[in-house]
Amino acid sequence: DDLTGPNLHSQVRVGLLGSGVGLSLVLGFSAAYACYYWTSVAKKPQLIAGGKKFCEFLKDHCPVVSETYYPTFWCWEGRVQTLLRPFVTSKPCVCYRNELIKAPDGGQISLDWFDNDTSTSHPDPSARPTVLLLPGLTGTSRESYILHMVQQSRELGYRCVVFNNRGVSGEKLLTPRTYCAANTEDLETVIEHVHNTHPVAPIMAAGVSMGGMMLANYLGRKGYETCLKGVVVFSAGWDVFECTASLEKPLDRFLFNSYLTSCLQASVHRHRPVLEKNYDIDHVMKAKTIRQFDERFTSIMFGYPTNDDYYRDASPIHKLKSVQVPMLCLNAADDVFSPNHAIPVEAVKQNPNLALLITCHGGHIGFLEGVWPRQSTYMDRVFRQFARAVIEQGSRLTDLQ
């Protein structure tokens, strides 16, 4: 072959042409993607408040509610954010002090305290502000989103206590009873205990997913009769019928429903010796969806005539009108666990103690932002600013009517 003849010249010409076309395609695609991201993905959240006073308070003390949310450009879609968050976000090192407290029925509840004894802004432990944290459905104090909130609280000088639902964090189940979103008896026991332990310290609470549903149900039942100064709720499911229907769509059933059902079943299996005297555990272990699990286990455990009765009672949307404590709720419009059409916009507008922040993207407890979203999420920033506002500027929230 003649390596210096016309063959080589034509190869070079074609190579240059090919690389030029490839580069043009890459640049064109990148420009189109960037244009789409800036016009359709990166948007300011929608802030809905039941009263002008709460709305102005949030805009003054929580600037994050008015800022554009820039989801991580390579994973902004809701399902992707939901799936990736546990793997890409860091797990800050937190040393807890565990406390087991007795429940009125003879059961025990595991609390994980972060005392923050090195706090310089609140050196007096008796007056140090306390943040009560409630994890999601099968979550514990070791979830990355809980650890991030503890870290934010540590920087603010606050104490944290994590309420682990019965039987999920390694402690023995002493009675044949676990937990559900509708029953707030254990939460009431915990809040009373925390308040009695530090009666002078202001207390606020943050709940994630089912933890947020439990908090909202608690506030709806208690009205004014609570010591909580404020509450923030992340990715709560407001209407359980709509949440379960959404999670039963083929893709979401495959990605999320089956996995969560298996996590619930693993917890039941772990405590089988205590539970099998009262429930048909073999039947429970054959459940394929969360709905089937609730029909065979949860609704029966808490004495509901039907699963629909349980789902109705577990849905916070019906109790929002009775909430008398400032409550900020963050939801993403693309959260398959809490579909956009079931977010309680109208109910929030009717109560001056409520505010709702809706981002276009963020998924379920995702809210990833930045090029590599390891350290902090949009949810973390909402938590930090609202917690600080409630603790430091709480006097402005005393009468939101």
Side-chain angles (χ1 to χ4, degrees):
D1 288 344
D2 181 5
L3 296 178
T4 58
N7 276 349
L8 181 61
H9 291 305
S10 63
Q11 285 173 17
V12 169
R13 208 162 44 243
V14 169
L16 287 172
L17 181 68
S19 64
V21 169
L23 184 61
S24 299
L25 283 170
V26 169
L27 289 174
F29 175 79
S30 299
Y33 189 87
C35 183
Y36 177 77
Y37 178 88
W38 289 103
T39 56
S40 301
V41 177
K43 291 188 174 182
K44 287 188 176 182
Q46 185 183 4
L47 177 63
I48 299 131
K52 190 177 178 185
K53 194 172 176 183
F54 196 13
C55 186
E56 288 176 351
F57 175 87
L58 290 169
K59 287 178 178 177
D60 288 346
H61 299 287
C62 306
V64 68
V65 305
S66 306
E67 296 169 359
T68 300
Y69 165 49
Y70 297 96
T72 299
F73 72 92
W74 51 269
C75 67
W76 47 264
E77 196 274 334
R79 292 180 183 85
V80 179
Q81 287 234 347
T82 304
L83 290 166
L84 284 182
R85 181 204 49 79
F87 301 103
V88 300
T89 52
S90 64
K91 285 198 166 188
C93 181
V94 174
C95 292
Y96 290 116
R97 172 177 61 84
N98 183 256
E99 180 185 19
L100 293 173
I101 64 170
K102 280 277 183 277
D105 72 327
Q108 62 181 357
I109 303 165
S110 174
L111 302 179
D112 282 320
W113 290 86
F114 175 73
D115 295 304
N116 204 4
D117 287 328
T118 57
S119 171
T120 53
S121 53
H122 299 278
D124 178 6
S126 67
R128 187 175 301 142
T130 304
V131 182
L132 173 64
L133 301 174
L134 282 74
L137 182 61
T138 57
T140 69
S141 60
R142 291 292 165 193
E143 305 305 319
S144 64
Y145 56 82
I146 293 290
L147 295 172
H148 276 234
M149 287 194 279
V150 174
Q151 184 181 45
Q152 301 284 346
S153 302
R154 170 169 38 196
E155 291 169 6
L156 291 169
Y158 306 158
R159 168 175 45 230
C160 284
V161 55
V162 185
F163 164 34
N164 299 292
N165 286 304
R166 291 197 201 191
V168 299
S169 64
E171 81 281 10
K172 282 182 73 174
L173 209 60
L174 300 183
T175 57
R177 168 175 159 160
T178 56
Y179 59 93
C180 74
N183 190 286
T184 58
E185 291 170 0
D186 282 359
L187 177 57
E188 290 175 40
T189 300
V190 167
I191 291 173
E192 185 181 357
H193 173 76
V194 171
H195 179 60
N196 290 340
T197 305
H198 302 286
V200 182
I203 307 172
M204 72 155 292
V208 181
S209 191
M210 193 204 76
M213 295 166 67
M214 194 184 287
L215 258 180
N217 283 328
Y218 162 81
L219 291 181
R221 290 196 178 108
K222 300 298 282 187
Y224 291 104
E225 297 172 13
T226 178
C227 59
L228 298 180
K229 303 298 181 193
V231 165
V232 60
V233 165
F234 301 108
S235 297
W238 298 103
D239 184 328
V240 181
F241 292 102
E242 297 295 338
C243 298
T244 47
S246 176
L247 286 172
E248 284 166 357
K249 292 175 181 175
L251 179 59
D252 300 316
R253 177 171 172 166
F254 170 73
L255 289 175
F256 307 112
N257 201 326
S258 299
Y259 171 72
L260 279 174
T261 305
S262 67
C263 289
L264 289 165
Q265 288 169 324
S267 183
V268 168
H269 180 70
R270 198 159 55 244
H271 301 290
R272 184 168 187 141
V274 181
L275 296 170
E276 63 186 352
K277 300 163 193 166
N278 297 61
Y279 310 101
D280 185 350
I281 302 302
D282 289 335
H283 191 46
V284 172
M285 298 304 284
K286 289 173 185 169
K288 301 296 182 190
T289 63
I290 293 171
R291 188 194 299 269
Q292 288 180 1
F293 179 89
D294 287 335
E295 286 170 348
R296 301 172 186 191
F297 186 73
T298 319
S299 61
I300 297 169
M301 173 176 284
F302 289 94
Y304 290 97
T306 68
N307 197 55
D308 281 1
D309 290 307
Y310 163 49
Y311 278 5
R312 200 168 294 110
D313 198 28
S315 300
I317 192 168
H318 305 303
K319 305 180 190 72
L320 290 178
K321 61 181 178 293
S322 306
V323 173
Q324 300 298 333
V325 170
M327 181 166 78
L328 173 63
C329 314
L330 174 65
N331 281 88
D334 64 354
D335 181 356
V336 298
F337 285 72
S338 184
N340 191 29
H341 65 268
I343 295 174
V345 173
E346 293 308 314
V348 167
K349 288 178 180 176
Q350 305 304 315
N351 186 335
N353 297 294
L354 301 178
L356 184 58
L357 195 60
I358 306 173
T359 57
C360 285
H361 299 282
H364 189 70
I365 332 173
F367 301 105
L368 303 175
E369 60 183 359
V371 177
W372 183 243
R374 186 154 175 76
Q375 298 306 325
S376 179
T377 67
Y378 180 80
M379 175 177 137
D380 294 337
R381 292 197 294 132
V382 171
F383 167 78
R384 183 190 183 102
Q385 291 182 17
F386 186 70
R388 186 174 190 173
V390 167
I391 299 297
E392 313 291 342
Q393 305 291 333
S395 57
R396 285 190 55 190
L397 290 171
T398 47
D399 183 21
L400 293 175
Q401 301 301 322

